[in-house]
Amino acid sequence: MDFDAYTFHAPSGSFIAKDFVHGEGFSHGLQCIIDADVVVGEGVTLGHRVHLASGTRVLDDVEIADDCVTTGIALLGNHVRVRTGSCVSKSVIVDDWCFIAAGIMSSHTKNVYHGRPNAPKTQLVTRFGYGTIIGSRTNTSAGVTIAPGSIVGYGSHVVFDLTTPHGIYYNSPDPWATLQSELDPANPFYIEVPADYVPHRFDPDLLRRYLPHAAPDADLPR
């Protein structure tokens, strides 16, 4: 850690990169770390012991609770909520109005390269669609897309794309998340996706810098 690149915020015991950019209404708790090249919008609140890694982009009206981390380039859209102890990994895009419950773990690599020089280098982009609810202790494999409006049950393993919008998914009968039912528009947990909503994409320069082994269109919604 290059301490010269950070400002120590004594009242909170936090280390904040000198190039950190934030909008109005930003606040953070105790013992946070915000690395270089992090940008957050207006009305963003961080809890205690939050770590935002380089390449993280957070839009407006976002709450990130205690002990959460990002591990690299990640994009959190507007009105997102991330609850305690969750990891939004490198290469994850979270679209607007997504709710990420406590203790979720996302993954960012298809292959492990450590000690394996012949392993193919492939980086995939994961997407949590508009208005999705990701249940506590859910794990998501690299490169999966969760369709807008979906609800993923507690402790699910998302290893394939969840393609049906407004679907309810959990581990049954297999030990990975599968479609159980679909929400009707009259259901109080149904969220309307605006007809003109455009899913978020990484800035192309960020994509090249932080995910050099990803395809140029890896962050396109599927």
Side-chain angles (χ1 to χ4, degrees):
M1 181 174 181
D2 179 8
F3 287 98
D4 290 337
Y6 292 79
T7 297
F8 179 63
H9 183 255
S12 68
S14 299
F15 286 90
I16 299 175
K18 292 177 180 177
D19 69 351
F20 173 54
V21 177
H22 63 82
E24 294 184 3
F26 170 73
S27 65
H28 64 85
L30 304 176
Q31 299 177 337
C32 293
I33 300 174
I34 301 176
D35 289 331
D37 192 23
V38 172
V39 179
V40 308
E42 297 184 356
V44 173
T45 301
L46 308 182
H48 305 310
R49 299 171 300 280
V50 172
H51 183 182
L52 301 183
S54 296
T56 298
R57 298 294 186 267
V58 180
L59 302 187
D60 297 337
D61 180 35
V62 174
E63 296 177 6
I64 302 176
D66 300 349
D67 301 304
C68 291
V69 299
T70 63
T71 65
I73 178 174
L75 197 166
L76 280 67
N78 301 290
H79 318 298
V80 167
R81 301 292 183 263
V82 184
R83 294 305 185 226
T84 302
S86 285
C87 174
V88 179
S89 291
K90 177 181 181 180
S91 81
V92 174
I93 295 176
V94 181
D95 278 317
D96 294 354
W97 291 104
C98 184
F99 182 92
I100 297 174
I104 74 103
M105 175 61 69
S106 50
S107 178
H108 74 269
T109 55
K110 181 179 181 181
N111 300 306
V112 176
Y113 317 134
H114 181 70
R116 296 162 175 83
N118 297 321
K121 292 179 170 56
T122 304
Q123 293 173 313
L124 305 174
V125 173
T126 298
R127 179 179 296 276
F128 299 166
Y130 182 101
T132 53
I133 296 174
I134 312 299
S136 298
R137 300 296 181 182
T138 288
N139 300 311
T140 63
S141 295
V144 298
T145 290
I146 299 176
S150 298
I151 298 177
V152 181
Y154 176 95
S156 294
H157 302 298
V158 181
V159 297
F160 304 110
D161 289 348
L162 306 185
T163 58
T164 301
H166 308 288
I168 295 177
Y169 299 86
Y170 53 85
N171 296 349
S172 178
D174 300 302
W176 56 80
T178 57
L179 181 65
Q180 307 295 318
S181 62
E182 297 178 44
L183 293 170
D184 183 270
N187 190 294
F189 292 101
Y190 184 96
I191 186 168
E192 189 72 39
V193 181
D196 60 351
Y197 180 73
V198 178
H200 295 295
R201 296 192 65 187
F202 288 127
D203 177 271
D205 289 337
L206 285 180
L207 192 63
R208 285 191 294 269
R209 189 188 324 163
Y210 289 105
L211 295 175
H213 304 297
D217 60 355
D219 62 340
L220 279 172
R222 295 194 297 274

